[in-house]
């Protein structure tokens, strides 16, 4: 029998101050705090666990592509352009570091945002069809009339 990877369960992010980063993720991204100590916090967000791990102050999850451009390692998805625009506006109102809406030559639009430690994240307006079908389409049998 062939085995395959089913999903990403946990993402680890370096942070310089666990308590401050946890407060930021909870208040700005509506993450749910599951555990916290001086070295790490475990958050539930976007259908997976995120570990905020105390690291050196200069550490972050970003990398540089071959052209020397800083790049994110994670893309979050929202359901449509209107949701993307509303989320970006919310982040701007919270005074988060947020990039412009971008047309990258593929379906949908994107923008990037950063946490307090400079970890860069992408948001895309096109939710994966399989995820949408499995998790977002109402179940008519269990729907209330």
């Amino acid at each position: 029998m062939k085995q395959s990877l089913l999903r990403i369960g946990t993402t680890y992010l370096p942070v310089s101050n666990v308590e401050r980063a946890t407060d930021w993720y909870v208040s700005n991204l509506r993450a749910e705090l599951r555990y916290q100590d001086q070295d790490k916090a475990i958050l539930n967000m976007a259908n997976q666990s995120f570990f905020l791990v105390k690291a050196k102050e200069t550490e972050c999850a970003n990398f540089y592509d071959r052209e020397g451009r800083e790049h994110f390692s994670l893309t979050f998805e929202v359901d449509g352009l209107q949701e993307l625009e509303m989320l970006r506006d919310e982040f701007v109102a919270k005074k988060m570091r947020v990039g412009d809406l971008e047309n990258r030559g593929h379906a949908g639009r994107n923008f990037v945002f950063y946490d307090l430690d400079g970890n860069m994240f992408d948001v895309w307006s096109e939710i994966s069809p399989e995820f949408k079908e499995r998790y977002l389409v109402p179940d008519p049998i269990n729907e209330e009339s």
Side-chain angles (χ1 to χ4, degrees), residues 36-106:
Q36 183 178 345
D37 63 30
Q38 65 185 13
D39 295 318
K40 68 184 168 302
I42 303 171
L43 307 172
N44 285 347
M45 181 176 66
N47 291 297
Q48 69 172 271
S49 292
F50 285 82
F51 277 52
L52 305 181
V53 180
K54 184 163 179 62
K56 295 177 184 175
E57 285 194 34
T58 58
E59 292 293 325
C60 72
N62 309 346
F63 66 94
Y64 291 88
D65 66 18
R66 71 183 192 162
E67 303 294 325
R69 293 179 299 240
E70 189 173 29
H71 208 282
F72 48 84
S73 58
L74 288 174
T75 297
F76 293 102
E77 298 175 344
V78 296
D79 194 10
L81 184 57
Q82 183 177 1
E83 292 290 323
L84 183 80
E85 291 170 344
M86 288 175 19
L87 183 64
R88 185 181 178 283
D89 290 346
E90 178 183 324
F91 287 1
V92 168
K94 290 180 176 182
K95 306 221 182 300
M96 293 169 54
R97 184 176 165 202
V98 179
D100 294 330
L101 285 177
E102 298 178 38
N103 178 351
R104 297 184 185 155
H106 55 69

